[in-house]
Amino acid sequence: MASIKENLQKIRQNIEQACMRAGRRPDEVRIVAVTKYVNEARAREAVEAGLTHIGENRLEGLTEKRRALADLDVTWHFIGTLQSRKVKDVLPQVDYIHSLDRLSLAKEIQKRAERAVKCFVQVNVSGEATKHGIREDDVLPFIDRLREFPNITVVGLMTMAPANAEEDELRRIFRRLKNWQRAVEEKHWEHAPCRELSMGMSGDYIIAVEEGATFVRIGSALVGNDG
Ligand SMILES: *Cc1c(COP(=O)(O)O)cnc(C)c1O
């Protein structure tokens, strides 16, 4: 297994080149290291390699990693489907939630949060039935309604592309998300600055960066996926 340092170096290089092709600055792109497949020692290695944003998709993994890395300076991201009953335990442990996709979840966050929580609204651009996220038609009305919840700040939009999609399909999906992000940003809603785009994983982050990603969520290609 390659060291995280080596993987990171390669990924940073790929991101820089993608930014160059797209006329973007590399410092606009932050890497969220997804540690859901690996143990605490490997997660620690990631932070020591210079990764300060860590993502987990389950409450159990989040709690475990947070406890193990309590001495390190980490920004924590919850990237997975969030069940309402877990909100009260997830909230105090995270800086960002990437998967806000329904009003009932917004209500629960509002009820449990003690401060405004940075949330990405997850959009199902691919239309796959198995993917979570709101429909594209609902992006503006849904985010408009979130103004009722002062404990939620919509910092951006998030999507997951299908694992086996061709390049043009990926580009189409990422571009559509970017267009929706702009549409929200242009509303200048105080509760929804919506400047960020959380898109791109191990298999498609280069294309996501070319299409405007500001947070890429990378697991297997960075920290590995076997322990
Ligand atoms: C697991 C996961 C990732 C990272 O997946 P890789 O393909 O291993 O990079 C990114 N985003 C979400 C929401 C995930 O659940």
Side-chain angles (χ1 to χ4, degrees):
M1 185 158 54
S3 77
I4 294 178
K5 258 208 159 86
E6 287 166 335
N7 292 341
L8 178 58
Q9 206 168 26
K10 183 72 201 155
I11 289 169
R12 282 207 174 120
Q13 203 172 48
N14 288 340
I15 290 176
E16 261 172 49
Q17 288 165 354
C19 282
M20 209 119 76
R21 289 192 292 276
R24 306 184 59 203
R25 292 199 329 262
D27 65 359
E28 295 170 7
V29 183
R30 275 148 296 175
I31 299 172
V32 178
V34 176
T35 52
K36 67 185 185 194
Y37 312 107
V38 300
N39 61 26
E40 295 154 23
R42 191 83 174 156
R44 175 170 290 273
E45 199 191 317
V47 181
E48 284 167 354
L51 290 153
T52 56
H53 292 267
I54 301 287
E56 280 282 334
N57 69 336
R58 298 173 59 91
L59 169 63
E60 295 71 22
L62 171 70
T63 306
E64 203 180 272
K65 300 298 191 321
R66 259 204 81 117
R67 196 175 294 140
L69 308 185
D71 56 314
L72 301 173
D73 195 11
V74 173
T75 301
W76 293 92
H77 297 254
F78 193 85
I79 61 171
T81 306
L82 182 50
Q83 292 166 284
S84 293
R85 67 191 168 83
K86 303 214 166 154
V87 165
K88 70 174 188 322
D89 297 319
V90 165
L91 275 183
Q93 307 199 66
V94 295
D95 303 287
Y96 290 87
I97 291 174
H98 288 244
S99 46
L100 176 52
D101 64 352
R102 57 196 193 277
L103 230 36
S104 57
L105 179 57
K107 280 183 189 147
E108 188 63 18
I109 294 172
Q110 174 60 32
K111 185 166 132 195
R112 302 288 183 177
E114 290 173 355
R115 57 187 158 86
V117 185
K118 298 188 188 87
C119 295
F120 287 86
V121 168
Q122 183 170 354
V123 186
N124 183 354
V125 184
S126 67
E128 283 179 292
T130 55
K131 289 274 193 296
H132 290 267
I134 62 170
R135 296 180 321 140
E136 288 181 86
D137 285 347
D138 291 332
V139 170
L140 289 169
F142 178 74
I143 295 177
D144 193 11
R145 285 203 63 180
L146 294 177
R147 77 178 68 249
E148 297 165 32
F149 307 105
N151 284 342
I152 291 176
T153 302
V154 179
V155 296
L157 303 183
M158 179 274 216
T159 202
M160 284 176 81
N164 49 0
E166 304 278 345
E167 180 175 332
D168 24 332
E169 171 71 354
L170 292 169
R171 280 194 201 284
R172 188 188 69 83
I173 289 170
F174 295 146
R175 258 177 221 173
R176 290 182 81 103
L177 195 72
K178 168 92 193 169
N179 285 339
W180 285 115
Q181 175 262 319
R182 278 215 194 95
V184 179
E185 189 180 10
E186 280 165 9
K187 294 283 184 189
H188 299 289
W189 288 334
E190 201 173 326
H191 71 291
C194 202
R195 295 192 191 95
E196 313 292 345
L197 276 172
S198 169
M199 58 191 198
M201 314 186 1
S202 290
D204 55 19
Y205 73 90
I206 297 177
I207 295 170
V209 168
E210 287 175 358
E211 300 299 339
T214 64
F215 285 90
V216 290
R217 310 176 309 267
I218 308 183
S220 0
L222 180 55
V223 297
N225 55 14
D226 53 356

